[in-house]
Amino acid sequence: MTEMQFNIIGITGFARPACLLVSSASLFQSRIILEYKSRSVNLKDSPSAIMDVMSLEIKPGSYFKVSADGIDEQEALQAIAKTLTDAY
């Protein structure tokens, strides 16, 4: 299992990044979980994943963790990091 911590620095909402995260996660075989304030969301649990991420109400300045477990976990987290960097 591999994990990375992210910080939301944008002042806009989290709807667009949530969509991009779920879309990016769907490209990989690994199980990918977003954790925030002791709650977790399976980013590959479509179609509810986007709404589940939005329900976490991640605010600017907040930190959250994404973990991946599987054959392509390294690539998955690198893609998610790039997705978040490009989103902001």
Side-chain angles (χ1 to χ4, degrees), residues 23-86:
S23 178
S24 182
S26 71
L27 301 174
F28 298 93
Q29 294 179 15
S30 294
R31 180 172 179 255
I32 303 171
I33 304 294
L34 184 149
E35 295 177 50
Y36 177 69
K37 291 189 175 181
S38 302
R39 293 175 57 200
S40 62
V41 171
N42 182 345
L43 293 179
K44 297 185 67 163
D45 189 18
S46 296
S48 67
I50 294 171
M51 292 307 296
D52 291 344
V53 172
M54 294 297 298
S55 74
L56 297 176
E57 298 179 356
I58 300 173
K59 305 286 186 221
S62 298
Y63 288 89
F64 63 92
K65 180 173 65 172
V66 177
S67 59
D69 187 23
I71 193 164
D72 54 1
E73 62 190 39
Q74 294 288 336
E75 295 86 358
L77 286 182
Q78 289 173 355
I80 286 171
K82 181 171 179 4
T83 296
L84 287 173
T85 300
D86 292 349

